[in-house]
């Protein structure tokens, strides 16, 4: 028994650092609301970092003058442009809600499973309601 | 005694706390004045307001910092274990954050001072 343990240790020591398991594992656990929302927090974060390029492009186009501004407007108001804008709006509200949960956890609050699930559903509902409401107001006025 | 991870965590905390009120206020002000505005003229007028110019600059800098930090730790540190790819990705993201800050702040300065 002791010999087997020693062998296991030796085997572990032989593995390179890259071979050892690293967290977080995406495909080992059964998907749950918690893990799913965590992954979407990352995805919306990456999406918004891409969106920041669009935002800075808008600033550059405004600074560039009327012509560049209209080129940006034309792209932003196209169907594809609007799909991206709606996507970024949802990503913003989702990341915003999830971010508040992260801040709560970091403060040592809301660490019970019950609270984690409840605030998870609240954040999801908030992101959907906020996105739909904002775009209803925008498109209602544009049409 | 603070290590790399603690610093990263503190920076993410501080930037997110600052962006909570800043982003919501900017979003609503932008929709109200620019989206419902008169195109180019409204965009210029909105950004020439010193409060909006300052807040937008702060938001771009904070978002570029928070975003690049998040992408580096959440994507490259967690999932890209190939050393060379990791180093290339991390450097590219860091560079992109500087480009975002420089172009963003530069554009706002050009609009504000009318250079």
């Amino acid at each position: 028994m002791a010999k087997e343990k020693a062998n296991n240790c030796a085997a572990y020591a032989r593995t390179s650092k890259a071979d050892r398991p690293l967290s977080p594992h995406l495909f080992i656990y059964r998907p749950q609301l918690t893990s799913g929302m965590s992954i979407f927090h990352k995805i919306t974060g990456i999406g918004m970092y891409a969106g920041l390029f669009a935002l800075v492009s808008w600033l550059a186009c405004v600074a560039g003058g009327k012509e560049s501004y209209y080129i940006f407007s034309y792209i932003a108001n196209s169907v594809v442009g609007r799909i991206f804008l709606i996507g970024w709006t949802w990503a913003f509200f989702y990341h915003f809600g999830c971010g508040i949960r992260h801040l709560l956890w970091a403060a040592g609050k809301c660490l019970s499973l019950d609270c984690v699930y409840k605030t998870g559903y609240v954040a999801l509902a908030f992101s959907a309601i906020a996105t739909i409401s904002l775009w209803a107001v925008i498109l209602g006025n544009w049409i | 005694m603070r290590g790399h991870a603690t610093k990263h965590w503190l920076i993410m905390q501080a930037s997110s706390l600052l962006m909570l009120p800043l982003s919501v206020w900017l979003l609503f002000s932008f929709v109200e004045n620019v989206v419902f505005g008169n195109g180019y003229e409204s965009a210029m007028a909105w950004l020439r307001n010193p409060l909006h110019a300052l807040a937008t600059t702060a938001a771009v800098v904070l978002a570029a910092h928070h975003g690049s930090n998040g992408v580096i730790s959440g994507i490259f540190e967690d999932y890209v274990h190939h050393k060379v790819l990791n180093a290339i990705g991390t450097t590219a993201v860091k560079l992109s954050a500087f480009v975002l800050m420089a172009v963003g702040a530069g554009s706002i300065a050009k609009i504000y001072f009318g250079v």
Side-chain angles (χ1 to χ4, degrees):
Chain A
M1 200 62 185
K3 203 179 170 189
E4 195 185 315
K5 206 176 176 184
N7 278 342
N8 282 342
C9 282
Y12 182 73
R14 274 198 301 276
T15 57
S16 70
K17 243 186 172 175
D19 293 332
R20 289 175 201 160
L22 289 152
S23 82
H25 302 285
L26 286 188
F27 304 107
I28 291 173
Y29 299 116
R30 181 172 57 87
Q32 298 159 91
L33 180 80
T34 44
S35 62
M37 285 194 72
S38 167
I39 291 157
F40 268 99
H41 194 63
K42 285 195 187 199
I43 293 172
T44 50
I46 300 162
M48 277 200 291
Y49 193 64
L52 195 54
F53 284 84
L55 180 72
V56 168
S57 304
W58 178 74
L59 288 170
C61 284
V62 178
K66 265 187 182 170
E67 261 179 53
S68 56
Y69 182 86
Y70 284 121
I71 292 168
F72 188 96
S73 279
Y74 182 78
I75 297 167
N77 284 312
S78 68
V79 175
V80 178
R82 284 202 182 172
I83 288 170
F84 269 92
L85 288 174
I86 292 168
W88 280 321
T89 310
W90 175 73
F92 169 75
F93 285 124
Y94 178 86
H95 204 87
F96 189 94
C98 258
I100 292 174
R101 289 166 85 226
H102 277 272
L103 287 168
L104 283 173
W105 296 329
K109 294 188 173 84
C110 189
L111 291 165
S112 70
L113 208 52
D114 183 54
C115 190
V116 167
Y117 268 83
K118 268 183 190 156
T119 52
Y121 286 122
V122 169
L124 269 179
F126 165 75
S127 70
I129 293 166
T131 309
I132 292 167
S133 312
L134 184 62
W135 278 92
V137 170
I138 291 172
L139 293 174
N141 259 269
W142 270 354
I143 291 165
Chain B
M1 283 303 284
R2 268 175 205 151
H4 163 76
T6 316
K7 253 187 212 160
H8 167 82
W9 179 79
L10 272 172
I11 284 166
M12 294 309 264
Q13 289 253 306
S15 52
S16 58
L17 275 172
L18 287 169
M19 281 193 290
L20 283 180
L22 188 63
S23 59
V24 173
W25 173 63
L26 275 177
L27 176 66
F28 280 91
S29 179
F30 177 82
V31 170
E32 194 187 342
N33 297 296
V34 182
V35 176
F36 290 145
N38 251 336
Y40 176 74
E41 273 71 33
S42 299
M44 287 294 278
W46 189 73
L47 284 164
R48 277 191 163 155
N49 174 315
L51 203 59
H52 297 155
L54 203 68
T56 309
T57 310
V60 169
V61 170
L62 282 168
H65 199 269
H66 183 94
S68 59
N69 261 285
V71 170
I72 287 167
S73 73
I75 308 305
F76 289 99
E77 284 178 12
D78 284 353
Y79 299 112
V80 183
H81 303 312
H82 189 282
K83 268 194 179 157
V84 178
L85 284 179
N86 187 302
I88 292 171
T90 304
T91 311
V93 173
K94 275 183 186 166
L95 271 175
S96 72
F98 279 112
V99 171
L100 285 169
M101 289 180 197
V103 176
S107 302
I108 294 167
K110 186 171 182 279
I111 293 160
Y112 189 77
F113 296 108
V115 187

